[in-house]
Amino acid sequence: MSATPLMIVVLAAGKGTRMKSDLPKVLHAVGGRSMLGHVLDLASASQAEKVAVVVGPAQDNVTQSALTIAPNVEVFVQENQLGTADALKAANKAIAAHSGDVIVLYADTPLIEPATIDRLRASLDAGASVAVLGFEAVDPTGYGRLLTDSTGKLIAIREHKDASEVERAIRLCNSGVMAFRVTDLVGVLARIGNANAKGEYYLTDAVEIIRTDGGDAAVVTCAEAEVLGVNSRVELAQAEAIFQRRRRRRAMEDGATLIAPETVWFSYDTVIGRDVVVQPNVYFGLGVRVEDGVEILANCHFEKAHIGKYARVGPFARLRPGASLGANVHIGNFVEVKNTEVGEGAKANHLAYLGDGSVGANANIGAGKII
Ligand code: UD1
Ligand code: MG
């Protein structure tokens, strides 16, 4: 990993009108975590020394959410949405005070992996002044195109609206993630103009400016799925689907058997042990921890709950916040547990509600009981 100090700037301003929501776009969740949360997690996994978040005016809930997730972030307000370069300029003070790499991330692009950030930094270490994360788009419409020379070196980024027909045929696109190692990024930003189809200050123009100054520009590529940007509820569902596929694969790689993986739903913080077997249609809400050897029968719903070793839960069981099952506990069909510790070896096999209580070890709760 690169030893150069890293600053990450997360661009989170923007109305997200196409979401048709009272909630700012970047606070919508994927795997139970806001998109902003995913990007801030990426920043911390990338060991950024400094993280700045750029928010729009009247977005106090975005600021609050950023500070709750990562108390050390610096928040900057972009007063008018004049484009991505203008958004980055809002963080000028922090950028000027930093010496090292600067990486720009979009808060509506929640699926990027830390290893990809490492690859961008490696390309700065290898001498590039700017490195852009690109991908081959199945349908490149709307994206900025990466214009390269015969050796594959990046020459410029052309926004879709400003591109010629020939340029529009290029499928190599800009993901929006850019990494900079320039001594004077603030100076580069100041030279970006707005003479383009949208009348905006495009951050992507930095590439041409840096090249004119004699710097090298590199492209690092990744899969399209990793850089999916969310602008609508349909794209939010696409991001969720990608997230779930990844998370299921990880659970299986870590030693859990998912009989029908595509029917099991995880949250970003689900902890699941080895030799756990999960039957179809199980939903893991936030804050669930499952220990080794547990068997989860079909059609269960869990939230903020703990399941001890070798317990058997379901079918049709519901664990609500504060449910904590000891080792070898059996919770059967149509049993709901809330805020209750169930002692080792206890059983509640049918039709019961265990709420705000405590069940001793090896107790046997009969059918129809309410506690
Ligand atoms: C941008 C890129 C394009 C790339 C695409 C990838 C530019 C000029 N273009 O286009 O090359 O292919 O992303 O998805 O950068 N934002 C602000 N303030 C602003 C404008 C934008 O904070 O004034 C934030 C938005 O909230 C968003 C991000 O910057 O998170 C990108 O802005 P958006 O307007 O979506 O850019 P695109 O047109 O998608
Ligand atoms: Mg966009």
Side-chain angles (χ1 to χ4, degrees):
M1 190 182 275
S2 174
T4 317
L6 171 66
M7 171 179 181
I8 287 186
V9 185
V10 178
L11 303 189
K15 300 187 192 76
T17 356
R18 283 175 59 206
M19 295 297 282
K20 310 243 168 84
S21 175
D22 292 339
L23 193 66
K25 174 169 78 171
V26 301
L27 296 185
H28 282 262
V30 171
R33 178 75 147 169
S34 70
M35 294 194 275
L36 176 65
H38 283 282
V39 176
L40 291 174
D41 290 345
L42 173 67
S44 101
S46 306
Q47 284 162 14
E49 299 197 347
K50 193 157 35 156
V51 179
V53 179
V54 178
V55 305
Q59 285 194 331
D60 290 348
N61 44 1
V62 178
T63 302
Q64 275 322 311
S65 165
L67 291 172
T68 305
I69 294 164
N72 294 328
V73 301
E74 271 185 89
V75 178
F76 296 91
V77 178
Q78 182 194 19
E79 291 301 339
N80 302 297
Q81 250 99 298
L82 301 178
T84 44
D86 180 69
L88 191 55
K89 275 187 212 163
N92 262 347
K93 218 175 107 220
I95 295 168
H98 173 76
S99 62
D101 299 346
V102 175
I103 293 187
V104 180
L105 300 174
Y106 293 167
D108 66 356
T109 307
L111 300 167
I112 295 171
E113 309 257 24
T116 302
I117 299 298
D118 290 345
R119 287 197 293 130
L120 277 169
R121 300 191 69 198
S123 124
L124 297 183
D125 282 345
S129 300
V130 54
V132 175
L133 184 62
F135 64 101
E136 288 283 339
V138 173
D139 173 11
T141 311
Y143 287 116
R145 307 301 205 281
L146 302 185
L147 312 187
T148 51
D149 68 14
S150 55
T151 67
K153 244 188 205 140
L154 184 62
I155 301 166
I157 304 179
R158 189 80 69 239
E159 289 307 305
H160 181 90
K161 283 197 169 164
D162 302 297
S164 67
E165 279 311 309
V166 174
E167 289 166 341
R168 283 185 184 182
I170 296 170
R171 285 177 49 224
L172 185 61
C173 293
N174 174 26
S175 69
V177 179
M178 295 174 77
F180 297 94
R181 178 173 296 169
V182 283
T183 35
D184 185 20
L185 181 56
V186 170
V188 170
L189 294 177
R191 284 156 65 193
I192 293 176
N194 66 345
N196 52 54
K198 278 174 132 181
E200 282 189 1
Y201 296 88
Y202 291 161
L203 181 56
T204 44
D205 286 351
V207 169
E208 248 171 318
I209 293 172
I210 289 168
R211 295 250 327 165
T212 310
D213 290 352
D216 255 349
V219 181
V220 167
T221 54
C222 71
E224 184 166 13
E226 193 178 338
V227 287
L228 177 76
V230 173
N231 300 306
S232 66
R233 307 263 184 172
V234 172
E235 288 165 351
L236 185 68
Q238 286 166 350
E240 182 75 40
I242 295 166
F243 173 86
Q244 291 297 336
R245 272 204 296 279
R246 259 191 208 171
R247 197 57 197 71
R248 289 166 189 142
R249 168 174 279 272
R250 202 174 92 206
M252 293 186 277
E253 284 170 351
D254 289 348
T257 293
L258 310 184
I259 293 174
E262 63 286 359
T263 69
V264 178
W265 293 81
F266 289 104
S267 290
Y268 80 99
D269 63 349
T270 306
V271 177
I272 186 156
R274 277 166 64 113
D275 292 317
V276 169
V277 176
V278 184
Q279 290 189 354
N281 300 318
V282 175
Y283 184 90
F284 294 93
L286 289 172
V288 176
R289 188 161 59 88
V290 181
E291 293 195 42
D292 293 350
V294 165
E295 197 180 353
I296 299 168
L297 308 191
N299 301 305
C300 290
H301 191 283
F302 306 136
E303 193 191 349
K304 296 193 173 72
H306 163 238
I307 304 178
K309 279 191 177 174
Y310 307 109
R312 194 179 73 208
V313 183
F316 297 98
R318 180 168 185 202
L319 302 181
R320 292 176 50 206
S324 180
L325 313 184
N328 296 302
V329 161
H330 289 182
I331 296 293
N333 39 278
F334 307 107
V335 174
E336 175 175 333
V337 184
K338 186 204 92 181
N339 192 28
T340 293
E341 216 167 288
V342 182
E344 204 173 314
K347 296 187 172 76
N349 270 325
H350 358 252
L351 299 154
Y353 173 70
L354 315 177
D356 302 310
S358 141
V359 173
N362 301 312
N364 193 343
I365 310 288
K369 281 280 180 305
I370 294 175
I371 295 179

